[in-house]
Amino acid sequence: MTAEVFTPTVAVTMTPNAVRHVRKQLEKKPDAKGIRLAIRKSGCSGFKYETQWVEDVAADDKVFHIDGVDVFVKEEHLPLVNGIEIDFVTEGVNSMFQFRNPNATAECGCGESFTVA
C-alpha cells in the first residue's frame, strides 16, 4: 500500500477595488513591499483582522501575488484565512477593507471580531 502526499492549497484573493486601493497606497510608500493580512486574538468572537504595510519580510511569511499586489500572511494564520476574499468598499463617507472569510463560523454584532471552528 502506498500513501499519497497531500499538500493543501491556500487561497487569498482580492477584488479589483481592493487591488486598486492597495496599489494607490503603495505608490505613496516606496519602502513598502506589499500589505500584510494579520490575525490577532480580540473581541467577543475570538479573532480580528489587521492590515499592515510590509517593509521587512519575515521568514515565516507566505506571499500571495495578486494582480501586481503582494499580500503577506504569517504561516500560522493560513488556516484562519484560507479562501478569504479581501474587498475595499465605501459606505457613506467611510471606506474600509471588507473580508469575506468562508471559514468564519460567527461574527460579533459590531463586526469587530470573528470565530473560526
Side-chain angles (χ1 to χ4, degrees):
M1 176 181 246
T2 61
E4 183 177 334
V5 176
F6 174 73
T7 304
T9 302
V10 177
V12 172
T13 61
M14 296 177 79
T15 65
N17 281 345
V19 169
R20 204 169 18 259
H21 172 73
V22 171
R23 280 185 185 159
K24 284 182 188 175
Q25 296 305 310
L26 288 172
E27 289 174 5
K28 301 174 190 176
K29 302 174 183 316
D31 294 335
K33 294 174 177 63
I35 190 168
R36 177 181 312 286
L37 174 59
I39 305 294
R40 72 176 174 98
K41 291 185 178 185
S42 176
C44 54
S45 290
F47 299 102
K48 176 183 178 177
Y49 302 107
E50 290 185 341
T51 56
Q52 305 152 350
W53 301 110
V54 175
E55 292 183 7
D56 298 311
V57 179
D60 62 341
D61 279 339
K62 299 300 177 194
V63 62
F64 297 87
H65 306 289
I66 305 169
D67 294 330
V69 170
D70 288 342
V71 179
F72 296 84
V73 179
K74 296 278 185 201
E75 192 168 354
E76 68 181 286
H77 297 160
L78 293 176
L80 299 173
V81 300
N82 187 19
I84 197 166
E85 179 185 60
I86 304 168
D87 196 2
F88 190 76
V89 298
T90 300
E91 296 175 0
V93 296
N94 298 315
S95 295
M96 68 202 94
F97 284 111
Q98 188 175 71
F99 305 96
R100 295 182 192 97
N101 188 341
N103 304 303
T105 56
E107 294 181 351
C108 71
C110 68
E112 168 77 13
S113 61
F114 68 98
T115 301
V116 173

